[in-house]
Amino acid sequence: MGRFAVLGGASVTNTGLSIVTGDLGVSPGVSITGFPPGQVNGSIHNSDAAAVAAHADLITTYNDAVGQIPDAGITGDLGGQTLPPGVYNAASSIGLTGTLTLDAQGDRNAEWIFQIGSTLTTATASHVLLVNGATARNVIWLIGSSATLGTDTDFAGRVLAQISITVNAGVTVNGQVLAINGSVTLDTNRITRPW
């Protein structure tokens, strides 16, 4: 799944002029729509060998990360918080309104894992800010059901959802959006896989 910016389990659907940098695929489903007008700076994989392998890798990565022992619990809304590296666990849903700052404290290898029991929902124009050496590839969001990124959100990290991911209009993702069983829905977005 490393080279994929977008991977859906059932389908990938796009509206508008989305730009995906990295590969885009679906497996085990076979439905990819909206490209064009969407643009993929990479390859499109419709349930081919690469997509099947990425889907299997996604499940393994998800299960490994879910099995990590939490350093701290989180509840409610993450807006306004600054979090050091660690494993954060939420029993149910988490929201993000405003800005969440992830502070690597000068360690470029710093990692964050967010174990979210059900849903992740960001409000309009929310932000995940990476500071002091934090990198998007070292941030994993594990979503027990589905994620919804609100209009004009500026998001960072690898979103791994059990079911679906809805990326609303104007959202920018520095990372990956990867759905195990359901669909990824895009709408005039810019999604860039971290290198």
Side-chain angles (χ1 to χ4, degrees):
M1 72 181 203
R3 68 191 198 196
F4 282 81
V6 177
L7 182 67
S11 67
V12 176
T13 304
N14 172 65
T15 302
L17 301 175
S18 293
I19 299 174
V20 175
T21 300
D23 287 1
L24 178 146
V26 62
S27 176
V30 294
S31 176
I32 299 174
T33 57
F35 297 92
Q39 176 182 329
V40 178
N41 298 320
S43 300
I44 295 178
H45 300 275
N46 193 333
S47 208
D48 62 8
V52 170
H55 185 257
D57 189 26
L58 169 58
I59 292 171
T60 299
T61 301
Y62 187 98
N63 290 338
D64 286 349
V66 162
Q68 299 292 318
I69 297 172
D71 296 308
I74 50 174
T75 58
D77 196 286
L78 297 176
Q81 298 188 46
T82 298
L83 297 178
V87 179
Y88 296 90
N89 181 272
S92 59
S93 297
I94 286 292
L96 172 58
T97 304
T99 299
L100 167 66
T101 302
L102 303 181
D103 185 352
Q105 301 171 340
D107 179 4
R108 291 196 58 81
N109 297 313
E111 297 181 340
W112 290 259
I113 296 175
F114 293 93
Q115 303 166 331
I116 299 172
S118 56
T119 61
L120 169 69
T121 305
T122 74
T124 297
S126 295
H127 298 272
V128 175
L129 186 62
L130 305 176
V131 300
N132 295 326
T135 59
R137 69 176 179 273
N138 288 337
V139 180
I140 298 179
W141 300 86
L142 303 169
I143 315 301
S145 58
S146 297
T148 303
L149 304 183
T151 304
D152 294 331
T153 290
D154 184 6
F155 202 79
R158 304 158 66 194
V159 183
L160 283 57
Q162 280 284 353
I163 304 178
S164 63
I165 302 171
T166 300
V167 187
N168 285 306
V171 172
T172 298
V173 178
N174 175 17
Q176 298 167 290
V177 287
L178 312 166
I180 294 173
N181 296 309
S183 300
V184 176
T185 303
L186 307 177
D187 182 358
T188 318
N189 310 121
R190 186 177 292 270
I191 299 174
T192 303
R193 180 181 72 83
W195 301 91

